[in-house]
Amino acid sequence: MATGRAEERGGFEAAVRGGLRVLRERWTRGTRERGGTAAFAGPPRPALPSAAEEVDALQALPIDVQLNIMSFLSPQDVCRLGSTSCYWRAAVQDPLLWRYFLLRDLPFWTSVDWKSLPDVEIFNKAFSEVSDNALHNYMAVYKKSCPQGRRSLKSSRPRYGAVTSFLQSLVTQAEPRFAMFGPGLEELDNSLVQKMMTCPEILLVTGLPQRQIHGIGSGVSFQFNNNQKFNILTLYSTTSVERRRARAEQAVAVNRMFYPENSTAGNQQAVHYNVIPQIKRVCEVVDGFIYVANAEAHKKHDRQEDLARILAMTDPALGRPNRPLLVLSCVSNVGVERIPCVYVAHQLQLNMLHQPWMMQDTVAATLAGLPSGIEWLLEEADCKNAQ
């Protein structure tokens, strides 16, 4: 089973661990030829200060020892070190150091989006393939990809954004509507929807199904941050009886939302899905989508099937283009081992999508992470409606 899970994760975890091991071995082994620093890729090193200048103890150490020490620091502390002198400003930009930070930290990131997902080549390219002349700017990749960097860019936006949001809230507008679907709604031990309905401190229920949207039930209306209302229409692939039976028998229930269209591409058979007419009407009227992915590491997942269903739901032919997609990388409770969201994003091949998307780690039992995802979705939906 362990071998199957490693294969399912597409080799990302093995690549990360392998890259970290090689970098750590190089640093701890040290340069065998002390006459130069060719064993370490990166920009040319600044010359050591002259005898007339003060040389601190850390700066006087060999380069490989400096890198080894800096690898135990946080990226924030390394950047602070770079602000102390011209020497350290150049030293802390070493590509190998930031490659190490990237591979070390990305399994712990709780969110990633269409603008910040690291390229798959960073994981797949072996360390031995990286030459001095073909290095990524890992420092820039790290800053763009890490959640802290994305939050700092967001907080640096002009202050008038909050004012315009307040003014818009005074204007009566139709609440945005989102279709929520995915295996995480049906396979987890804890119900995400039930928790959303009974957790007013996070999401306040303001309306139960009372009307129809083009023949489809209106779903449930929620209020977020005490002012913004939105509607979620939850789409289950089976009935509740079928879901309970499948969970008891540890079987996979037949998904009634989609029907397959098999097509052959080369020597491989690819599965494409269409949605049934009732779901098609939903896709035509909603302002965005919420896909609940099962991120529990101990379960088997068919990400190709998941991607095919996401593509069927978000088909541009079924509604306005570029409608946002929020992917909740969900586990039942805090104690369940999860697949890191960056790995899940690559497994689902979200880079193939043409609309804005964001993946957010979420816990069904506590709704941890859900507010951040909903905030992003509402901002994106509002932006697209304005356009």
Side-chain angles (χ1 to χ4, degrees):
M1 180 176 294
T3 303
R5 285 203 300 269
E7 293 177 353
E8 176 191 332
R9 297 185 190 189
F12 293 137
E13 186 173 5
V16 169
R17 291 179 177 176
L20 292 176
R21 184 177 64 254
V22 171
L23 287 171
R24 179 59 67 192
E25 288 174 355
R26 286 203 174 194
W27 287 335
T28 54
R29 184 173 64 246
T31 31
R32 294 180 180 178
E33 300 177 1
R34 292 300 183 185
T37 59
F40 298 92
R45 295 291 178 181
L48 289 174
S50 63
E53 297 175 339
E54 181 181 358
V55 182
D56 58 58
L58 180 60
Q59 187 171 326
L61 294 173
I63 295 297
D64 57 302
V65 178
Q66 294 178 12
L67 286 173
N68 198 1
I69 293 174
M70 287 190 289
S71 71
F72 288 97
L73 302 177
S74 69
Q76 293 82 0
D77 289 336
V78 169
C79 290
R80 295 187 186 100
L81 176 63
S83 66
T84 59
S85 70
C86 293
Y87 177 89
W88 289 114
R89 185 181 304 129
V92 301
Q93 296 182 39
D94 188 278
L96 298 191
L97 179 66
W98 285 95
R99 176 181 168 90
Y100 175 82
F101 285 151
L102 184 65
L103 297 178
R104 181 194 68 182
D105 295 347
L106 65 86
F108 304 100
W109 292 343
T110 58
S111 65
V112 67
D113 63 21
W114 60 302
K115 296 179 180 179
S116 63
L117 180 66
D119 190 84
V120 70
E121 288 300 320
I122 292 177
F123 307 98
N124 291 341
K125 182 175 289 187
F127 183 82
S128 58
E129 298 176 15
V130 180
S131 65
D132 292 355
N133 298 323
L135 279 172
H136 292 277
N137 187 345
Y138 291 105
M139 185 176 184
V141 172
Y142 189 101
K143 290 182 177 181
K144 183 186 75 170
S145 303
C146 71
Q148 296 86 348
R150 301 205 317 271
R151 283 195 294 267
S152 64
L153 289 175
K154 180 179 177 181
S155 63
S156 65
R157 294 176 180 174
R159 292 288 183 180
Y160 64 78
V163 177
T164 56
S165 297
F166 171 74
L167 295 177
Q168 290 175 357
S169 68
L170 301 179
V171 181
T172 303
Q173 296 179 340
E175 58 190 44
R177 296 164 293 188
F178 306 108
M180 183 164 67
F181 66 107
L185 292 176
E186 308 175 31
E187 299 174 355
L188 301 180
D189 295 333
N190 296 91
S191 171
L192 177 68
V193 174
Q194 182 178 357
K195 186 64 177 180
M196 291 170 62
M197 297 284 291
T198 57
C199 199
E201 65 273 16
I202 297 179
L203 288 178
L204 179 65
V205 176
T206 61
L208 296 175
Q210 296 177 349
R211 62 188 186 278
Q212 299 285 311
I213 303 176
H214 293 256
I216 303 298
S218 65
V220 179
S221 292
F222 295 93
Q223 186 169 337
F224 182 68
N225 283 345
N226 297 323
N227 57 16
Q228 194 158 9
K229 293 183 180 181
F230 62 97
N231 185 280
I232 291 182
L233 201 159
T234 305
L235 304 175
Y236 290 104
S237 66
T238 59
T239 66
S240 58
V241 174
E242 291 171 326
R243 291 196 298 273
R244 286 194 296 268
R245 183 186 301 119
R247 187 175 291 114
E249 298 175 355
Q250 295 184 346
V252 178
V254 177
N255 193 314
R256 302 184 186 279
M257 290 172 51
F258 306 91
Y259 61 92
E261 287 188 352
N262 295 331
S263 62
T264 302
N267 296 325
Q268 296 182 346
Q269 191 177 45
V271 178
H272 299 276
Y273 285 101
N274 283 329
V275 296
I276 61 176
Q278 297 91 329
I279 302 300
K280 181 178 179 181
R281 290 198 292 271
V282 174
C283 296
E284 290 172 346
V285 299
V286 295
D287 300 294
F289 303 89
I290 303 174
Y291 182 80
V292 186
N294 186 338
E296 295 186 342
H298 66 280
K299 294 184 178 179
K300 186 177 180 180
H301 312 287
D302 190 339
R303 301 301 190 194
Q304 290 295 329
E305 288 280 316
D306 294 343
L307 173 62
R309 288 166 179 159
I310 291 175
L311 292 173
M313 285 287 292
T314 61
D315 187 346
L318 300 182
R320 291 182 293 103
N322 295 328
R323 288 178 293 178
L325 168 68
L326 170 63
V327 181
L328 300 178
S329 184
C330 199
V331 297
S332 298
N333 53 67
V334 177
V336 176
E337 181 185 359
R338 70 161 60 247
I339 303 173
C341 71
V342 175
Y343 297 171
V344 178
H346 277 292
Q347 292 170 11
L348 289 173
Q349 302 178 64
L350 295 181
N351 57 312
M352 294 179 57
L353 303 180
H354 299 293
Q355 70 263 45
W357 60 266
M358 174 187 176
M359 174 169 285
Q360 174 67 51
D361 279 351
T362 310
V363 180
T366 63
L367 299 186
L370 181 64
S372 297
I374 295 296
E375 181 181 13
W376 175 88
L377 184 62
L378 291 173
E379 288 180 354
E380 285 293 326
D382 182 64
C383 176
K384 300 306 175 187
N385 287 335
Q387 294 176 357

